[in-house]
Amino acid sequence: MADGSTNDTITQPSSKLEQAIRVDLAEGRLAVDRRLPPERELAERYVTTRITLREALSHLEMDGLIYRENRRGWFVSDRRLVYNPLWRTDFQRMTREQNRQASTELIEAVSAIAPEAICALLEQPVGTEFWRIRRRRRVDGRLVVFVEHHLNKTVFSDILEQDLTGSLTNLYREKYALEYGDVSFEINPISLTGMPATELRCSDGTFGLQIVRVNRDQSGLILDCDVEYWRHDAVSIRIDTRDGPG
Amino acid sequence: MADGSTNDTITQPSSKLEQAIRVDLAEGRLAVDRRLPPERELAERYVTTRITLREALSHLEMDGLIYRENRRGWFVSDRRLVYNPLWRTDFQRMTREQNRQASTELIEAVSAIAPEAICALLEQPVGTEFWRIRRRRRVDGRLVVFVEHHLNKTVFSDILEQDLTGSLTNLYREKYALEYGDVSFEINPISLTGMPATELRCSDGTFGLQIVRVNRDQSGLILDCDVEYWRHDAVSIRIDTRDGPG
DNA sequence: TCACCTCATTGGTATAGACCAGATGTGTGG
DNA sequence: CCACACATCTGGTCTATACCAATGAGGTGA
């Protein structure tokens, strides 16, 4: 589709500095191995101050051209991953189909009382315990999403004994003979703070996309809920009713 | 659902200044009639510089608590409008159901050659002319979205004679006896620049959500495509497969 | 009455320099 | 070989000041 490019007829660039960086980036004069030089060096190169430079970099960051890792530096963004939250294909397969390389890291898998909002979503009384699984995923090496799953403990009594770095979708099907049914989700543009920011190694307040999803099985039973925090420039949501619910 | 609140267990605030402003906002000590005092005044009040203050305000802006209008000032954000891009209910009705007040302003309605990307989406040769309708919409008085429609000129030969500040959905049904069929759309977090920024009166580079949608009728004929540019803090996307395609 | 102009107000951008804090790599000592 | 401490590199935050540019209110003149 339109691929999120902002070089439309109706969108225009802004400052000269920003434009200069944009050109240098496009022609590959700036980044070495997808990494930009330090801010101090860039400020010197463009004969400006760090503050002004950082303004420009922030704009390019919001535009999705570059991103930063907290106190580590600036990097060039790759193309967005196309994501359909209605499809329940596992992450590995989804990325493979787009010729990308995915990996998943398990952060924790524990039993915990879910926050009120989560209990409500899962239609359980406030204070109910769920399995809480926190993971983060990379695409082509880059950290792109932090996910927090809350699973029904009754349905998945022994899930902690499984390999949780793989696809939960596959586990559901293979170990518990569950197929997905209805899905509901919510997408909110938010700023990443706290654990999502830490885990994604982005500085506090970086822009992101929160996707809250509630999954049911064929009979309508609520299986789990996952809250995803995406780096904003790493994803493009795409849905087509002709595809069916997948 | 989770309503986009970032006061989860896993998200935390950041700097002291930011926190102070957050508290003052929450307790209504800051805004008069939803408008914040000038930056210079705020900087004095919190004993800091404008630069530092603006950093903090930007964070709160990304968090969706406040927003700015270009060179006009800072304002307190209202709650998000819940939006399901699969539903074809008209804007007026959608907002009314959420006890909000909507209005639409027509910017232009002309015949124009569509950009390549749009022609591709509409499955027409490059260089095809379409009706191009540009509008902007408000919710409770606030500018929240800029929309650019591209309509098939053959299907809607006399659409310029209609009232274009109302619902196109209703026009399609009432004047052209067309009902919506399949829909496909794409959501991209982007920065607002150029015309969308100007029309929404936000400063260049403000964060936004771009939604590109292609609409078909019952027989699969492509009717139109609309590109929406939302202010990021004004909308929450929500989809539930149990609702059906609406 | 209305179009136009002027000017005060407001945010937007810029300079210059300093220090803080997390991330990393290096080297030392066990 | 490994664990730990330290130096250094990086971005993150902050002070202080200045000027630019769009907005909007008020006044002026046709």
Side-chain angles (χ1 to χ4, degrees), chain B residues 28-205:
Chain B
R29 279 195 295 273
L30 223 48
V32 177
D33 209 25
R34 305 195 74 79
R35 184 188 190 121
L36 272 67
E39 293 179 356
R40 287 166 176 83
E41 205 173 299
L42 286 172
E44 197 175 350
R45 181 154 163 185
Y46 291 102
V47 198
T48 182
T49 54
R50 263 185 74 208
I51 296 211
T52 305
L53 176 87
R54 277 168 62 81
E55 272 284 326
L57 291 177
S58 295
H59 275 177
L60 298 178
E61 180 188 32
M62 288 204 279
D63 225 40
L65 264 75
I66 58 177
Y67 66 95
R68 55 184 129 173
E69 290 195 8
N70 199 11
R71 286 171 205 276
R72 280 169 39 81
W74 292 88
F75 303 84
V76 179
S77 301
D78 207 334
R79 65 184 194 279
R80 294 172 190 264
L81 187 72
V82 175
Y83 176 42
N84 183 338
L86 292 179
W87 286 355
R88 313 316 319 274
T89 53
D90 68 86
F91 198 71
Q92 292 287 343
R93 189 175 140 200
M94 176 175 82
T95 50
R96 209 173 332 108
E97 282 169 357
Q98 296 177 44
N99 300 309
R100 314 285 296 261
Q101 172 69 41
S103 66
T104 304
E105 294 156 44
L106 180 66
I107 297 167
E108 65 163 23
V110 299
S111 173
I113 294 175
E116 285 193 32
I118 300 290
C119 291
L121 280 178
L122 292 167
E123 296 175 8
Q124 296 290 331
V126 172
T128 305
E129 284 206 13
F130 293 90
W131 294 127
R132 185 177 72 202
I133 301 175
R134 287 171 170 166
R135 312 194 290 181
R136 55 183 196 184
R137 295 179 187 275
R138 295 169 188 270
V139 171
D140 293 338
R142 177 184 174 195
L143 287 166
V144 294
V145 61
F146 167 79
V147 189
E148 188 180 65
H149 302 266
H150 290 269
L151 315 199
N152 190 314
K153 288 187 70 172
T154 328
V155 179
F156 302 104
S157 53
D158 61 346
I159 196 140
L160 297 203
E161 295 159 24
Q162 311 294 334
D163 171 22
L164 296 175
T165 63
S167 156
L168 292 187
T169 308
N170 290 346
L171 272 186
Y172 290 1
R173 184 168 47 235
E174 292 163 15
K175 303 284 178 185
Y176 302 94
L178 290 165
E179 289 289 343
Y180 279 116
D182 281 310
V183 182
S184 70
F185 65 90
E186 171 181 341
I187 304 177
N188 290 302
I190 59 160
S191 76
L192 301 173
T193 54
M195 183 176 291
T198 309
E199 291 301 329
L200 292 176
R201 297 220 278 195
C202 60
S203 28
D204 210 279

Side-chain angles (χ1 to χ4, degrees), chain A residues 57 64 98 101 112 117 121 165 178 201-202 205 210 233 240 243:
Chain A
L57 291 177
Q98 295 177 45
Q101 172 69 40
L121 280 178
T165 64
L178 291 166
R201 297 220 276 196
C202 61
Q210 181 200 56
D233 60 326
D240 193 327
D243 295 335

Side-chain angles (χ1 to χ4, degrees), chain A residues 29-80:
Chain A
R29 278 195 295 271
L30 223 48
V32 177
D33 208 24
R34 306 195 74 76
R35 183 187 192 122
L36 273 69
E39 292 179 356
R40 287 167 176 83
E41 204 173 299
L42 286 172
E44 197 176 349
R45 180 153 163 185
Y46 291 101
V47 198
T48 181
T49 54
R50 263 186 75 208
I51 296 212
T52 306
L53 176 85
R54 277 169 62 81
E55 272 284 325
L57 291 177
S58 295
H59 274 177
L60 298 178
E61 179 188 31
M62 289 203 279
D63 225 40
L65 264 75
I66 58 177
Y67 67 96
R68 54 183 130 175
E69 289 196 8
N70 199 11
R71 287 169 205 278
R72 280 169 38 82
W74 293 88
F75 303 85
V76 179
S77 302
D78 207 335
R79 67 184 192 278
R80 292 172 191 262

